Amino acid sequence: MMHPEYILTLSCPDQRGIVHRVSGFLAEHGCNIIDSAQFGDAQSQLFFMRVHFAAEDASVSDAGLRSDFAALAASMQMNARIDDARRKPRVMIMVSKIGHCLNDLLFRYRSGLLPVEIPAIVSNHTEFYQLAASYNIPFHHLPLAAGASPDAKRAQEQRVMEIVESNDIDLVVLARYMQILSPQMCEALKGRAINIHHSFLPSFKGAKPYYQAHERGVKLIGATAHFVTSDLDEGPIIEQDVERVDHAMDPETLTAIGRDVECVVLARAVKWFVEHRILLNGHKTVVFK
């Protein structure tokens, strides 16, 4: 018999007895802890916890479990949620004309490496409608002309949000979607939108960053996955990685290496999100790997 499984995530002011009270609550409600991780941040004085558990007492209902834990959470000033561990989160991918991250995520999804449902792909271009069709995923072309007026941008974003709401989307992934989201849309998607971008040391902005990096002779190239905020590319960082490069590599080679890093970093961030491993800690994140 398969018992219902849940993932509890929480943050609260650090204090004595948190693990004891949480584990005691689960034991009293007929639950068995499968794995658990916790972290106390001395700087923010917050405590973070992720618990994967099975509900083995059939007399304890889902609603009763949630209601009772809400009372405990309120007594300890917890920001907490309980998610069904077997439910596959619903992910919408947004892309423009560069498709390596989209292609990688779709392959991982089809292969079962990424436990998600993908009910929609949104793009301001038409390049990848056939790729979407090959996975039987609805493709939504929502064009936005260069230099579009604020009204046109708002209208386009409203259509995006309609797709988000009608498909019950849990996470929006900007897989090289080359449009800046408005502050209003960033707020609407707060904590459930992830972006990927290159992150060089030093950093290069604007067109063809890998060509700029080649001109400067960089030795490390990398990528950063982060939550989307109205501060462009400055949201809480989820994952980063780098690859070493050298003088013998041309700009095309750097670009290819950089795209590989972007794919891996974004896939990790998405996987950790859908497995409920990421908790916000101010402008940072706690990631229970």
Side-chain angles (χ1 to χ4, degrees):
M1 177 180 177
M2 294 185 66
H3 300 289
E5 293 184 12
Y6 299 90
I7 296 176
L8 163 66
T9 50
L10 66 88
S11 61
C12 65
D14 203 354
Q15 55 198 289
R16 287 190 298 273
I18 300 172
V19 174
H20 173 74
R21 292 193 64 181
V22 170
S23 59
F25 171 91
L26 293 175
E28 291 165 6
H29 286 73
C31 299
N32 180 46
I33 294 176
I34 298 171
D35 63 73
S36 177
Q38 55 272 334
F39 170 69
D41 186 349
Q43 184 175 14
S44 66
Q45 297 187 344
L46 293 175
F47 181 85
F48 302 85
M49 191 172 186
R50 177 187 185 273
V51 185
H52 179 191
F53 65 92
E56 298 180 347
D57 186 346
S59 68
V60 179
S61 68
D62 178 274
L65 180 71
R66 295 176 186 275
S67 176
D68 289 353
F69 191 82
L72 171 62
S75 72
M76 301 189 75
Q77 298 179 282
M78 288 181 182
N79 180 12
R81 60 181 290 164
I82 298 176
D83 290 284
D84 181 346
R86 295 196 175 102
R87 176 185 176 270
K88 292 183 178 181
R90 296 170 66 80
V91 174
M92 185 178 86
I93 304 176
M94 300 185 71
V95 64
S96 290
K97 288 187 174 184
I98 303 174
H100 56 284
C101 288
L102 170 66
N103 193 54
D104 180 76
L105 290 172
L106 292 178
F107 174 79
R108 293 172 190 268
Y109 154 72
R110 175 66 61 82
S111 303
L113 300 173
L114 200 57
V116 300
E117 299 291 347
I118 304 178
I121 295 172
V122 172
S123 181
N124 54 327
H125 297 280
T126 58
E127 269 74 359
F128 300 111
Y129 77 93
Q130 289 180 319
L131 178 62
S134 72
Y135 284 87
N136 296 316
I137 298 173
F139 182 87
H140 303 267
H141 177 220
L142 303 182
L144 192 63
S149 69
D151 287 343
K153 186 172 179 65
R154 276 194 297 272
Q156 192 253 16
E157 289 190 342
Q158 285 173 357
R159 293 183 65 193
V160 172
M161 291 307 300
E162 288 170 4
I163 296 169
V164 169
E165 292 164 7
S166 64
N167 286 280
D168 194 23
I169 298 298
D170 299 293
L171 174 66
V172 174
V173 180
L174 306 186
R176 295 303 301 268
Y177 179 67
M178 307 306 288
Q179 292 290 329
I180 298 173
L181 304 188
S182 69
Q184 294 81 4
M185 190 169 180
C186 290
E187 182 61 28
L189 294 174
K190 184 177 181 181
R192 58 187 182 124
I194 293 175
N195 190 23
I196 184 72
H197 68 86
H198 66 83
S199 53
F200 295 112
L201 299 174
S203 179
F204 299 101
K205 297 182 179 181
K208 294 189 174 181
Y210 292 101
Y211 283 73
Q212 296 180 52
H214 181 264
E215 287 296 317
R216 288 288 302 276
V218 301
K219 306 306 180 192
L220 286 173
I221 59 175
T224 296
H226 61 90
F227 281 115
V228 174
T229 67
S230 55
D231 295 322
L232 184 62
D233 291 340
E234 294 187 15
I237 294 170
I238 300 169
E239 173 64 340
Q240 294 177 299
D241 206 348
V242 295
E243 285 286 343
R244 182 164 291 279
V245 295
D246 62 41
H247 63 277
M249 297 177 181
D250 59 23
E252 290 77 15
T253 301
L254 264 61
T255 300
I257 294 172
R259 288 180 174 178
D260 285 346
V261 179
E262 290 171 12
C263 288
V264 171
V265 169
L266 181 59
R268 287 176 188 158
V270 172
K271 189 172 189 293
W272 293 338
F273 181 95
V274 301
E275 291 179 349
H276 312 289
R277 297 183 180 278
I278 307 169
L279 288 82
L280 284 169
N281 182 17
H283 297 297
K284 301 184 292 185
T285 61
V286 172
V287 182
F288 291 120
K289 301 178 183 177

